[in-house]
Amino acid sequence: MMNDVISEQQKKAILENIIENRRNPIKWIRENIKIRDQAKGTVSFNLYDFQEKTLNLFLAKHFIVTLKSRQVGMSTLVQAFCIWSAIHYSNYNIQIISAGNRQATNFLAKMREMYELIPTDQFKPELLTDNKQTMTFSNGSKIVALPATRKAALGESINMLIIDEAAFIDNVSAVYQAAFPTLSRAFKSMKGKPFGIFVISTPNGTSGTGEWYYKLYTNAVSQQNKFVPVRIHWSEVPEYDDDWYYDQCAQSNWDYRIIMAE
Protein backbone atom coordinates (compact mmCIF):
# COMPACT_ATOMS: atom_id res chain seq x y z
CA MET A 1 0.00 0.00 0.00
CA MET A 2 1.18 3.56 -0.68
CA ASN A 3 1.78 6.05 2.09
CA ASP A 4 -0.29 9.26 2.11
CA VAL A 5 2.80 11.30 1.17
CA ILE A 6 5.38 10.02 -1.28
CA SER A 7 8.31 11.71 -2.98
CA GLU A 8 8.57 12.47 -6.69
CA GLN A 9 11.21 9.76 -6.95
CA GLN A 10 8.84 7.23 -5.41
CA LYS A 11 6.07 8.32 -7.78
CA LYS A 12 8.40 7.81 -10.73
CA ALA A 13 9.40 4.36 -9.47
CA ILE A 14 5.75 3.35 -9.03
CA LEU A 15 4.89 4.55 -12.53
CA GLU A 16 7.82 2.67 -14.05
CA ASN A 17 6.74 -0.44 -12.15
CA ILE A 18 3.17 -0.16 -13.47
CA ILE A 19 4.37 0.28 -17.05
CA GLU A 20 6.66 -2.73 -16.79
CA ASN A 21 3.91 -4.89 -15.29
CA ARG A 22 1.52 -3.87 -18.07
CA ARG A 23 3.95 -5.27 -20.61
CA ASN A 24 3.97 -8.74 -19.07
CA PRO A 25 0.87 -9.79 -17.10
CA ILE A 26 1.98 -13.43 -17.06
CA LYS A 27 5.26 -12.56 -15.32
CA TRP A 28 3.41 -10.37 -12.81
CA ILE A 29 0.86 -13.08 -12.06
CA ARG A 30 3.60 -15.67 -11.54
CA GLU A 31 5.50 -13.42 -9.15
CA ASN A 32 2.63 -11.86 -7.19
CA ILE A 33 -0.52 -13.99 -7.22
CA LYS A 34 -0.90 -16.62 -4.52
CA ILE A 35 -3.55 -19.34 -4.50
CA ARG A 36 -4.76 -21.93 -2.00
CA ASP A 37 -3.71 -25.52 -2.71
CA GLN A 38 -5.53 -28.19 -0.70
CA ALA A 39 -2.33 -30.19 -0.23
CA LYS A 40 0.34 -27.46 -0.13
CA GLY A 41 -1.48 -24.48 1.37
CA THR A 42 -0.72 -21.02 -0.06
CA VAL A 43 1.47 -21.27 -3.16
CA SER A 44 2.50 -19.11 -6.09
CA PHE A 45 0.26 -19.33 -9.13
CA ASN A 46 2.53 -21.04 -11.64
CA LEU A 47 0.55 -20.96 -14.85
CA TYR A 48 0.29 -24.03 -17.07
CA ASP A 49 1.23 -23.69 -20.75
CA PHE A 50 -2.41 -23.70 -21.85
CA GLN A 51 -3.22 -20.94 -19.34
CA GLU A 52 -0.47 -18.72 -20.72
CA LYS A 53 -1.61 -19.37 -24.30
CA THR A 54 -5.23 -18.59 -23.42
CA LEU A 55 -4.33 -15.32 -21.72
CA ASN A 56 -2.17 -14.20 -24.64
CA LEU A 57 -4.98 -15.15 -27.00
CA PHE A 58 -7.45 -12.99 -25.05
CA LEU A 59 -5.10 -10.02 -25.13
CA ALA A 60 -4.76 -10.39 -28.91
CA LYS A 61 -8.30 -11.39 -29.93
CA HIS A 62 -10.51 -10.06 -27.07
CA PHE A 63 -13.33 -12.63 -27.44
CA ILE A 64 -12.71 -16.09 -25.96
CA VAL A 65 -15.10 -18.99 -25.34
CA THR A 66 -13.69 -22.03 -23.56
CA LEU A 67 -14.84 -25.63 -23.61
CA LYS A 68 -13.16 -27.11 -20.57
CA SER A 69 -13.00 -29.99 -18.17
CA ARG A 70 -13.65 -29.19 -14.53
CA GLN A 71 -10.85 -28.22 -12.18
CA VAL A 72 -8.34 -27.19 -14.83
CA GLY A 73 -7.70 -23.72 -13.36
CA MET A 74 -9.43 -21.58 -15.98
CA SER A 75 -11.49 -19.65 -13.42
CA THR A 76 -8.30 -19.07 -11.39
CA LEU A 77 -6.58 -17.69 -14.48
CA VAL A 78 -9.44 -15.28 -15.18
CA GLN A 79 -9.55 -14.16 -11.53
CA ALA A 80 -5.82 -13.41 -11.53
CA PHE A 81 -6.13 -11.54 -14.83
CA CYS A 82 -8.97 -9.43 -13.43
CA ILE A 83 -6.84 -8.43 -10.44
CA TRP A 84 -3.91 -7.54 -12.70
CA SER A 85 -6.19 -5.41 -14.90
CA ALA A 86 -7.88 -3.55 -12.03
CA ILE A 87 -4.56 -2.77 -10.36
CA HIS A 88 -2.66 -1.59 -13.43
CA TYR A 89 -5.37 0.42 -15.23
CA SER A 90 -7.37 3.27 -13.71
CA ASN A 91 -11.14 3.54 -14.09
CA TYR A 92 -11.25 -0.04 -15.35
CA ASN A 93 -14.60 -1.81 -14.96
CA ILE A 94 -15.00 -5.58 -14.85
CA GLN A 95 -18.35 -7.38 -14.73
CA ILE A 96 -18.60 -11.05 -13.71
CA ILE A 97 -21.86 -12.89 -14.36
CA SER A 98 -22.45 -16.21 -12.59
CA ALA A 99 -25.33 -18.67 -12.43
CA GLY A 100 -26.39 -17.64 -8.92
CA ASN A 101 -25.59 -15.43 -5.97
CA ARG A 102 -23.45 -18.07 -4.23
CA GLN A 103 -21.33 -18.64 -7.34
CA ALA A 104 -20.85 -14.91 -7.89
CA THR A 105 -19.88 -14.36 -4.24
CA ASN A 106 -17.36 -17.23 -4.33
CA PHE A 107 -15.83 -15.97 -7.58
CA LEU A 108 -15.25 -12.52 -6.12
CA ALA A 109 -14.04 -13.91 -2.78
CA LYS A 110 -11.17 -15.70 -4.54
CA MET A 111 -10.13 -12.47 -6.22
CA ARG A 112 -10.26 -10.63 -2.91
CA GLU A 113 -7.93 -13.23 -1.41
CA MET A 114 -5.53 -12.88 -4.35
CA TYR A 115 -5.46 -9.12 -3.81
CA GLU A 116 -4.82 -9.48 -0.08
CA LEU A 117 -1.94 -11.93 -0.66
CA ILE A 118 -0.04 -9.67 -3.07
CA PRO A 119 3.40 -9.04 -1.49
CA THR A 120 3.55 -5.85 0.57
CA ASP A 121 6.48 -4.48 -1.45
CA GLN A 122 4.35 -4.43 -4.61
CA PHE A 123 2.23 -1.49 -5.69
CA LYS A 124 -1.51 -1.95 -5.43
CA PRO A 125 -4.24 0.69 -5.12
CA GLU A 126 -6.20 0.81 -1.90
CA LEU A 127 -9.41 -1.21 -1.70
CA LEU A 128 -12.16 1.32 -0.95
CA THR A 129 -15.31 -0.80 -1.30
CA ASP A 130 -15.22 -4.43 -0.27
CA ASN A 131 -18.40 -6.44 0.00
CA LYS A 132 -19.85 -9.68 -1.36
CA GLN A 133 -20.57 -8.17 -4.78
CA THR A 134 -18.11 -5.34 -5.35
CA MET A 135 -14.44 -4.43 -5.07
CA THR A 136 -13.71 -0.74 -5.75
CA PHE A 137 -10.13 0.56 -5.83
CA SER A 138 -8.59 3.97 -5.18
CA ASN A 139 -7.53 4.22 -8.85
CA GLY A 140 -11.20 4.22 -9.87
CA SER A 141 -11.28 0.60 -11.03
CA LYS A 142 -14.10 -1.72 -10.07
CA ILE A 143 -14.87 -5.45 -10.10
CA VAL A 144 -18.52 -6.45 -9.74
CA ALA A 145 -19.77 -10.04 -9.51
CA LEU A 146 -23.51 -10.66 -9.79
CA PRO A 147 -25.94 -13.50 -10.41
CA ALA A 148 -27.31 -13.65 -13.94
CA THR A 149 -30.22 -11.26 -14.41
CA ARG A 150 -30.86 -8.84 -17.26
CA LYS A 151 -30.67 -5.98 -14.76
CA ALA A 152 -27.19 -7.10 -13.67
CA ALA A 153 -25.83 -6.40 -17.14
CA LEU A 154 -27.32 -2.92 -17.52
CA GLY A 155 -25.62 0.29 -16.50
CA GLU A 156 -22.23 1.91 -16.98
CA SER A 157 -19.75 0.92 -19.64
CA ILE A 158 -17.50 -2.00 -18.80
CA ASN A 159 -14.10 -3.00 -20.13
CA MET A 160 -14.31 -6.72 -19.53
CA LEU A 161 -17.21 -9.14 -19.24
CA ILE A 162 -16.71 -12.56 -17.66
CA ILE A 163 -19.50 -15.14 -17.97
CA ASP A 164 -18.73 -18.03 -15.63
CA GLU A 165 -20.21 -21.50 -16.32
CA ALA A 166 -22.32 -20.04 -19.13
CA ALA A 167 -23.88 -23.40 -20.03
CA PHE A 168 -25.58 -23.51 -16.62
CA ILE A 169 -27.17 -20.02 -16.70
CA ASP A 170 -30.87 -20.12 -17.57
CA ASN A 171 -31.23 -16.63 -19.05
CA VAL A 172 -27.69 -16.13 -20.29
CA SER A 173 -28.80 -14.99 -23.76
CA ALA A 174 -30.79 -12.07 -22.32
CA VAL A 175 -27.93 -11.12 -20.01
CA TYR A 176 -25.46 -11.15 -22.91
CA GLN A 177 -27.74 -9.05 -25.10
CA ALA A 178 -28.11 -6.49 -22.32
CA ALA A 179 -24.37 -6.35 -21.59
CA PHE A 180 -22.98 -6.15 -25.12
CA PRO A 181 -24.02 -2.51 -25.81
CA THR A 182 -22.17 -1.34 -22.69
CA LEU A 183 -19.08 -3.17 -23.93
CA SER A 184 -19.42 -1.78 -27.44
CA ARG A 185 -19.26 1.76 -26.11
CA ALA A 186 -16.14 0.95 -24.13
CA PHE A 187 -14.39 -0.78 -27.04
CA LYS A 188 -14.26 2.50 -28.97
CA SER A 189 -12.21 4.24 -26.28
CA MET A 190 -9.90 1.58 -24.85
CA LYS A 191 -6.70 3.63 -25.27
CA GLY A 192 -4.45 0.62 -24.84
CA LYS A 193 -6.42 -1.08 -22.10
CA PRO A 194 -7.21 -4.80 -22.38
CA PHE A 195 -10.86 -5.42 -23.21
CA GLY A 196 -13.28 -8.10 -24.28
CA ILE A 197 -15.52 -10.99 -23.30
CA PHE A 198 -14.35 -14.20 -21.63
CA VAL A 199 -16.90 -17.03 -21.58
CA ILE A 200 -15.96 -19.97 -19.35
CA SER A 201 -17.88 -23.23 -19.13
CA THR A 202 -18.02 -26.95 -19.06
CA PRO A 203 -20.62 -28.38 -21.47
CA ASN A 204 -24.25 -28.88 -20.50
CA GLY A 205 -25.98 -30.37 -23.50
CA THR A 206 -27.12 -28.81 -26.77
CA SER A 207 -30.58 -27.60 -25.76
CA GLY A 208 -32.33 -26.02 -22.80
CA THR A 209 -30.02 -24.15 -20.42
CA GLY A 210 -26.91 -25.18 -22.33
CA GLU A 211 -28.17 -24.18 -25.80
CA TRP A 212 -26.80 -20.60 -25.93
CA TYR A 213 -23.34 -21.69 -24.87
CA TYR A 214 -23.41 -24.67 -27.28
CA LYS A 215 -24.28 -22.41 -30.22
CA LEU A 216 -21.70 -19.80 -29.18
CA TYR A 217 -18.92 -22.39 -29.06
CA THR A 218 -19.86 -24.29 -32.23
CA ASN A 219 -20.28 -21.04 -34.16
CA ALA A 220 -16.85 -19.97 -32.92
CA VAL A 221 -15.40 -23.24 -34.21
CA SER A 222 -16.96 -22.64 -37.64
CA GLN A 223 -15.88 -18.97 -37.54
CA GLN A 224 -19.43 -17.66 -37.67
CA ASN A 225 -18.85 -15.21 -34.81
CA LYS A 226 -15.93 -13.18 -33.47
CA PHE A 227 -15.17 -15.54 -30.57
CA VAL A 228 -12.06 -17.71 -30.54
CA PRO A 229 -12.77 -21.25 -29.26
CA VAL A 230 -10.38 -22.71 -26.68
CA ARG A 231 -10.76 -26.39 -25.79
CA ILE A 232 -9.04 -27.57 -22.61
CA HIS A 233 -8.85 -31.28 -21.83
CA TRP A 234 -8.05 -32.59 -18.35
CA SER A 235 -4.90 -34.28 -19.69
CA GLU A 236 -3.32 -30.82 -20.21
CA VAL A 237 -3.03 -30.46 -16.43
CA PRO A 238 0.31 -32.10 -15.43
CA GLU A 239 -1.00 -33.27 -12.04
CA TYR A 240 -3.79 -35.33 -13.62
CA ASP A 241 -2.94 -38.83 -14.82
CA ASP A 242 -4.80 -42.04 -15.67
CA ASP A 243 -5.20 -42.96 -12.01
CA TRP A 244 -6.86 -39.59 -11.38
CA TYR A 245 -9.10 -40.09 -14.41
CA TYR A 246 -10.27 -43.54 -13.34
CA ASP A 247 -10.95 -42.27 -9.83
CA GLN A 248 -13.10 -39.47 -11.26
CA CYS A 249 -14.96 -41.98 -13.43
CA ALA A 250 -15.66 -44.15 -10.40
CA GLN A 251 -16.97 -41.13 -8.48
CA SER A 252 -19.32 -40.49 -11.43
CA ASN A 253 -20.54 -44.09 -11.15
CA TRP A 254 -19.15 -44.76 -14.63
CA ASP A 255 -21.99 -42.77 -16.17
CA TYR A 256 -20.78 -42.08 -19.73
CA ARG A 257 -22.76 -38.84 -20.15
CA ILE A 258 -21.47 -37.37 -16.88
CA ILE A 259 -17.89 -38.43 -17.66
CA MET A 260 -17.97 -36.85 -21.13
CA ALA A 261 -19.44 -33.61 -19.78
CA GLU A 262 -17.03 -33.36 -16.86
Side-chain angles (χ1 to χ4, degrees):
M1 304 292 289
M2 293 187 295
N3 294 325
D4 292 337
V5 179
I6 58 176
S7 67
E8 289 300 319
Q9 185 176 5
Q10 288 173 313
K11 289 180 181 178
K12 182 180 178 181
I14 290 170
L15 181 59
E16 289 175 349
N17 183 249
I18 291 173
I19 293 171
E20 178 61 30
N21 291 337
R22 284 180 179 178
R23 293 193 183 106
N24 196 336
I26 290 173
K27 180 175 181 290
W28 184 87
I29 289 171
R30 284 184 177 277
E31 293 178 351
N32 297 287
I33 293 295
K34 308 291 183 183
I35 58 175
R36 301 288 186 187
D37 183 276
Q38 290 184 346
K40 301 176 183 178
T42 302
V43 297
S44 296
F45 183 19
N46 293 316
L47 283 70
Y48 302 125
D49 288 345
F50 73 83
Q51 291 172 322
E52 291 190 18
K53 291 176 182 177
T54 301
L55 185 50
N56 284 327
L57 196 58
F58 179 81
L59 289 167
K61 300 296 184 180
H62 310 295
F63 296 87
I64 300 293
V65 54
T66 68
L67 172 65
K68 68 180 187 68
S69 302
R70 290 199 186 278
Q71 300 178 359
V72 296
M74 190 51 58
S75 294
T76 305
L77 173 68
V78 171
Q79 290 155 359
F81 181 59
C82 287
I83 290 296
W84 171 82
S85 300
I87 285 177
H88 293 101
Y89 293 92
S90 59
N91 302 310
Y92 192 92
N93 292 330
I94 301 169
Q95 176 87 61
I96 296 107
I97 301 295
S98 295
N101 189 63
R102 178 178 60 84
Q103 292 90 337
T105 298
N106 289 343
F107 202 96
L108 190 67
K110 291 179 181 178
M111 284 189 279
R112 182 181 300 107
E113 185 173 53
M114 288 178 178
Y115 169 85
E116 291 172 349
L117 291 173
I118 292 173
T120 55
D121 62 344
Q122 287 295 310
F123 163 79
K124 60 179 180 179
E126 185 180 356
L127 190 56
L128 300 180
T129 303
D130 181 16
N131 56 48
K132 291 183 178 181
Q133 293 185 331
T134 306
M135 293 173 67
T136 301
F137 302 89
S138 57
N139 64 354
S141 293
K142 183 194 302 184
I143 304 175
V144 178
L146 296 170
T149 64
R150 184 177 176 84
K151 183 179 179 180
L154 298 173
E156 61 188 297
S157 296
I158 56 178
N159 302 89
M160 191 190 312
L161 174 66
I162 311 297
I163 305 180
D164 183 39
E165 288 296 355
F168 297 84
I169 298 176
D170 289 328
N171 56 340
V172 64
S173 177
V175 174
Y176 179 79
Q177 290 172 10
F180 193 80
T182 68
L183 280 159
S184 297
R185 292 196 297 270
F187 292 168
K188 297 177 182 179
S189 58
M190 286 296 101
K191 298 180 180 179
K193 296 179 181 180
F195 67 90
I197 303 173
F198 214 128
V199 180
I200 313 167
S201 195
T202 49
N204 186 30
T206 61
S207 61
T209 302
E211 182 178 5
W212 181 85
Y213 165 77
Y214 169 75
K215 289 181 177 179
L216 182 74
Y217 184 83
T218 54
N219 286 340
V221 171
S222 59
Q223 298 182 345
Q224 295 184 54
N225 59 33
K226 63 174 60 180
F227 281 84
V228 178
V230 176
R231 187 173 185 270
I232 303 158
H233 193 264
W234 64 265
S235 59
E236 296 184 66
V237 179
E239 288 85 352
Y240 296 163
D241 55 18
D242 288 345
D243 289 339
W244 176 88
Y245 171 70
Y246 293 132
D247 179 67
Q248 297 298 307
C249 289
Q251 291 185 40
S252 299
N253 201 32
W254 295 98
D255 185 311
Y256 179 77
R257 183 184 179 281
I258 294 176
I259 292 168
M260 291 305 295
E262 292 293 315

